[in-house]
Amino acid sequence: MTEAKRPAPEPFARLEAQPAYLRLAEAIEREIVSGRIAPGDPVGTEATLCEQFGVNRSTVREGIRLLEQSGLLRRDQSRRLFASLPRYNNLATRMSRALVLHQTTFRELWEAALALETASVEAAARHATDEDIAALTDNLERSRAQLGDPDAVIHLDSEFHALIAKTGRNRVLELAREPASLLFAPTLRVILPKVEAAPQRNVEAHAHIIAALARHDAAEARLWMQRHINDWRRGFEKSGRGLDDPVERSFIEHVSGLRSGGRA
């Protein structure tokens, strides 16, 4: 009896050749991430990198451009290249753009803030120094002095929460919360014109949080941060926006309404 002929196996997919500049950038990135090249260490010049990698100047420049954009390389005045730590704001801005593109809703933003901001304030309660409390108190005093200025209220609220994260001495938390925090401003710009008491309630919550941090009372700090974040949600609901609307859309609709003279 003749054996049935087995079907030929599926051919392997072709391997795509990666551009040389990407391979160059990944090779340098591996050395920095692994710690073999530390932040501040020289990486070389464009000419030496051309020689080491055996590629032309345009390939090196394109690879360097990617690494500079990611914050892993920087140049000094002589144009020499040095390893660097990625800056929080660069990473956060890229992540924030991704959140907007994925149409992140206010509900998602609120849930994330509730987790991250309460974790940050608990850490801050454990680590707060007199200098930290002084910086937070200065922020509070400036906030009280500018309650009538929406732009100042938004800026100082962002500064307050960044100071809390810094006080917590946890770089993972500080970096994790930053992308979402950059989306807070659009929501506050929607809330402030609709909720007259919002700025005052904001600074009152901040005052209670600072008092708890000064006593190193993590439970009280957490309680007031939860109240603060939940009050933010109530303000958003009072503004007439839906919790499941994309955050950026809510801001755009609000601004469009103001420009057309209609109700925002």
Side-chain angles (χ1 to χ4, degrees), residues 138-159:
D138 174 69
N139 172 276
L140 179 66
E141 291 172 353
R142 286 184 287 125
S143 298
R144 282 175 170 156
Q146 300 188 68
L147 288 177
D149 183 343
D151 287 335
V153 168
I154 292 168
H155 170 74
L156 290 165
D157 180 73
S158 176
E159 180 184 286

Side-chain angles (χ1 to χ4, degrees), residues 224-241:
W224 273 102
M225 183 61 80
Q226 288 174 332
R227 289 175 175 173
H228 185 37
I229 300 300
N230 285 328
D231 204 34
W232 171 50
R233 170 180 168 159
R234 283 190 291 271
F236 192 79
E237 290 176 305
K238 286 182 179 179
S239 75
R241 302 298 165 180

Side-chain angles (χ1 to χ4, degrees), residues 4-262:
K5 189 175 181 181
R6 295 182 179 178
E10 288 293 322
F12 292 108
R14 287 181 176 271
L15 292 176
E16 292 186 9
Q18 201 173 30
Y21 75 89
L22 282 178
R23 287 186 280 123
L24 180 146
E26 288 175 357
I28 296 173
E29 181 177 347
R30 280 196 301 271
E31 295 299 301
I32 296 172
V33 172
S34 70
R36 288 188 288 270
I37 297 177
D41 284 354
V43 175
T45 63
E46 290 184 3
T48 58
L49 290 174
C50 286
E51 184 178 345
Q52 289 173 20
F53 284 99
V55 295
N56 59 37
R57 185 65 67 93
S58 63
T59 296
V60 167
R61 285 177 175 168
E62 191 64 20
I64 289 171
R65 184 184 64 81
L66 291 178
L67 293 168
E68 286 180 317
Q69 287 178 345
S70 67
L72 286 168
L73 283 185
R74 63 175 177 81
R75 296 177 190 263
D76 65 6
Q77 292 181 342
S78 68
R79 306 295 291 168
R80 290 178 299 176
L81 294 161
F82 294 86
S84 177
L85 286 173
R87 293 178 292 277
Y88 281 5
N89 59 337
N90 283 358
L91 293 172
T93 301
R94 287 163 60 192
M95 283 297 297
S96 296
R97 285 200 296 266
L99 291 173
V100 169
L101 289 171
H102 282 278
Q103 297 194 323
T104 299
T105 67
F106 181 86
R107 189 186 304 277
E108 291 171 314
L109 187 61
W110 165 72
E111 288 174 347
L114 196 59
L116 292 169
E117 299 297 330
T118 52
S120 294
V121 84
E122 284 185 319
R126 293 192 296 272
H127 299 288
T129 65
D130 291 342
E131 290 78 12
D132 294 324
I133 299 302
L136 287 162
T137 302
D138 174 69
N139 172 276
L140 179 66
E141 291 172 353
R142 286 184 287 125
S143 298
R144 282 175 170 156
Q146 300 188 68
L147 288 177
D149 183 343
D151 287 335
V153 168
I154 292 168
H155 170 74
L156 290 165
D157 180 73
S158 176
E159 180 184 286
F160 175 82
H161 286 274
L163 285 169
I164 293 288
K166 184 178 178 182
T167 300
R169 308 292 194 275
N170 186 316
R171 286 169 293 183
V172 175
L173 269 177
E174 191 173 358
L175 184 56
R177 65 166 293 281
E178 190 69 13
S181 75
L182 294 180
L183 299 186
F184 293 171
T187 69
L188 290 174
R189 291 189 187 281
V190 170
I191 293 169
L192 293 180
K194 289 288 189 176
V195 184
E196 186 177 347
Q200 183 62 44
R201 291 181 66 85
N202 216 41
V203 297
E204 287 174 1
H206 289 186
H208 284 289
I209 290 168
I210 294 170
L213 295 181
R215 299 193 303 271
H216 299 286
D217 187 339
E220 186 73 4
R222 179 183 179 87
L223 175 64
W224 273 102
M225 183 61 80
Q226 288 174 332
R227 289 175 175 173
H228 185 37
I229 300 300
N230 285 328
D231 204 34
W232 171 50
R233 170 180 168 159
R234 283 190 291 271
F236 192 79
E237 290 176 305
K238 286 182 179 179
S239 75
R241 302 298 165 180
L243 294 180
D244 294 309
D245 286 345
V247 171
E248 198 68 11
R249 183 191 301 167
S250 295
F251 176 51
I252 291 170
E253 289 175 355
H254 168 71
V255 172
S256 298
L258 291 179
R259 286 176 178 168
S260 65

